[in-house]
Amino acid sequence: MGPVSVLPKPQSLSTWEGDLAKMTHLQAGLSPDTIEKARLELNENPDVLHQDIQQVRDMIITRPDIGFLRTDDAFILRFLRARKFHQADAFRLLAQYFQYRQLNLDMFKNFKADDPGIKRALIDGFPGVLENRDHYGRKILLLFAANWDQSRNSFTDILRAILLSLEVLIEDPELQINGFILIIDWSNFSFKQASKLTPSILKLAIEGLQDSFPARFGGVHFVNQPWYIHALYTLIKPFLKDKTRKRIFLHGNNLNSLHQLIHPEFLPSEFGGTLPPYDMGTWARTLLGPDYSDENDYTHTSYNAMHVKHTCSNLERECSPKPMKRSQSVVEAGTLKHDEKGENENTQPLLALD
């Protein structure tokens, strides 16, 4: 018996070269530091990237009950990154992503920035998205809870606006690897407003964000939270994974604990940062187009990445309440306080809610 050749046949070599070029394209645009971070933290290996993606794709046949509407390499890759390249976990997340959309069809009808409900939520600052990333390269999302006008925006539309925003942001491979930070400011969030946060809609949000979306959340930070937000946390705690619970932080009005995790130079002045007050229209202008202004409900300019077209409707404009200008946040700069002695019972050291 002659020696066995370990060299690929010409056709196999050609296929291998094609796969290598494809993987190079998938990692194109990533900084060397981010590529190294993906290798160390996410187990991403460019040499076997195609095999990892294909293994996830091969599992689709096991779930004929789910319509997998997108299965290209770049799409599957974000699920692998979200689950540190554990193929079974990545497939489970992929399946839950589409199953969540099947089970909540009404939420994803006209799932575009020009949908009236989504548009109102975006203009009212749900969510806020800071332009610059933090020192770990993470995108910072803001929610000013008291700005929720319940006569204007349903909780579901706010959730849809957040999910749509994440869909846009997760197209960036850097964010697939570095992830996100969410800061929720509960200043002046009334008990009446909190009473609308029922267990069923909170569960809907948790399922959509924790269980069904390929994003890495490095932390969820509560500031200025009243006692009834603690009670709400007790309601949702059973639905949270242990890993998620350990990433929810309660700061009260303690700036020191917040700044230990997010440096002030990356935060607006509402959170004791060195940046100007957050402009609630910033992210809405990004999605609704460069012609968006605070005086106009929305414009005809499309957001190319989402292939969204906007058609002005006089009827919609007349029926919709006038949007807020600037941030009109109920949180003024300096509301949060530096606590050096820890004497204020509402100003606690950093606490993980687990």
Side-chain angles (χ1 to χ4, degrees):
M1 181 177 178
V4 178
S5 174
V6 296
L7 294 176
K9 297 178 182 178
Q11 184 176 2
S12 299
L13 180 60
S14 174
T15 302
W16 179 83
E17 289 174 341
D19 290 343
L20 181 60
K22 186 184 298 183
M23 294 309 107
T24 303
H25 171 70
L26 285 173
Q27 291 192 318
L30 293 175
S31 69
D33 287 345
T34 303
I35 292 174
E36 180 66 4
K37 182 177 183 178
R39 184 183 71 84
L40 292 175
E41 295 185 12
L42 306 184
N43 307 305
E44 183 168 330
N45 183 351
D47 296 334
V48 295
L49 210 50
H50 177 69
Q51 292 96 310
D52 289 335
I53 291 170
Q54 190 57 46
Q55 284 186 27
V56 173
R57 188 182 287 115
D58 289 343
M59 298 179 193
I60 289 175
I61 195 173
T62 67
R63 293 298 305 270
D65 56 312
I66 296 175
F68 293 85
L69 303 180
R70 184 178 171 187
T71 59
D72 57 275
D73 288 351
F75 188 70
I76 291 178
L77 179 56
R78 66 186 63 171
F79 291 86
L80 281 163
R81 285 171 170 162
R83 291 297 180 263
K84 296 187 175 182
F85 278 79
H86 297 294
Q87 290 92 343
D89 291 343
F91 173 71
R92 189 175 301 111
L93 181 61
L94 177 69
Q96 289 171 336
Y97 174 91
F98 286 113
Q99 186 174 45
Y100 182 79
R101 281 148 180 75
Q102 285 183 194
L103 295 175
N104 301 285
L105 290 175
D106 288 344
M107 281 182 59
F108 296 95
K109 287 180 180 176
N110 197 36
F111 189 54
K112 300 181 295 183
D114 66 348
D115 173 84
I118 293 177
K119 178 181 59 189
R120 284 193 299 271
L122 289 171
I123 290 174
D124 287 1
F126 296 106
V129 180
L130 295 185
E131 182 178 355
N132 296 323
R133 303 172 189 183
D134 77 350
H135 53 293
Y136 291 117
R138 301 173 297 191
K139 202 70 169 176
I140 301 175
L141 277 62
L142 308 175
L143 293 176
F144 294 94
N147 283 348
W148 179 20
D149 181 348
Q150 296 172 348
S151 67
R152 174 173 165 84
N153 295 309
S154 70
F155 180 86
T156 301
D157 282 336
I158 290 175
L159 176 59
R160 294 171 73 216
I162 293 171
L163 288 171
L164 177 65
S165 298
L166 287 171
E167 289 283 2
V168 174
L169 293 167
I170 205 66
E171 290 289 330
D172 184 345
E174 291 270 344
L175 293 180
Q176 295 172 18
I177 295 166
N178 293 325
F180 301 86
I181 291 291
L182 175 62
I183 304 176
I184 307 177
D185 191 339
W186 298 99
S187 299
N188 296 330
F189 188 71
S190 69
F191 185 86
K192 181 179 180 181
Q193 286 174 303
S195 69
K196 302 296 184 181
L197 297 175
T198 63
S200 60
I201 62 173
L202 290 172
K203 184 171 182 287
L204 183 69
I206 293 167
E207 289 173 347
L209 295 169
Q210 172 189 259
D211 303 327
S212 308
F213 197 84
R216 304 183 68 213
F217 281 96
V220 178
H221 301 269
F222 288 9
V223 296
N224 289 322
Q225 69 282 349
W227 65 267
Y228 36 87
I229 295 303
H230 291 261
L232 281 175
Y233 176 75
T234 302
L235 289 176
I236 67 173
K237 187 174 181 179
F239 305 116
L240 297 176
K241 296 176 180 177
D242 184 60
K243 185 177 181 180
T244 303
R245 288 199 296 269
K246 291 178 179 178
R247 291 182 178 177
I248 297 178
F249 300 99
L250 170 66
H251 299 281
N253 61 352
N254 185 352
L255 277 177
N256 290 330
S257 64
L258 179 66
H259 293 168
Q260 286 172 15
L261 298 178
I262 308 174
H263 297 170
E265 58 264 36
F266 302 109
L267 294 171
S269 59
E270 290 95 330
F271 302 103
T274 60
L275 299 177
Y278 181 69
D279 179 351
M280 288 293 181
T282 300
W283 182 240
R285 283 190 288 271
T286 300
L287 292 188
L288 297 173
D291 295 332
Y292 166 82
S293 67
D294 288 334
E295 286 72 34
N296 296 316
D297 194 39
Y298 62 110
T299 73
H300 65 278
T301 309
S302 65
Y303 180 69
N304 293 333
M306 297 300 296
H307 308 290
V308 176
K309 292 185 177 179
H310 304 272
T311 305
C312 282
S313 166
N314 291 330
L315 180 60
E316 283 181 359
R317 195 156 38 201
E318 291 170 1
C319 294
S320 298
K322 189 174 182 179
M324 292 183 290
K325 299 179 182 179
R326 201 184 68 77
S327 72
Q328 286 192 1
S329 166
V330 294
V331 187
E332 297 300 329
T335 297
L336 296 173
K337 300 178 181 178
H338 288 278
D339 177 48
E340 297 178 355
K341 298 181 180 179
E343 294 176 351
N344 187 333
E345 65 178 0
N346 292 323
T347 306
Q348 306 172 12
L350 183 65
L351 173 64
L353 296 182
D354 58 2

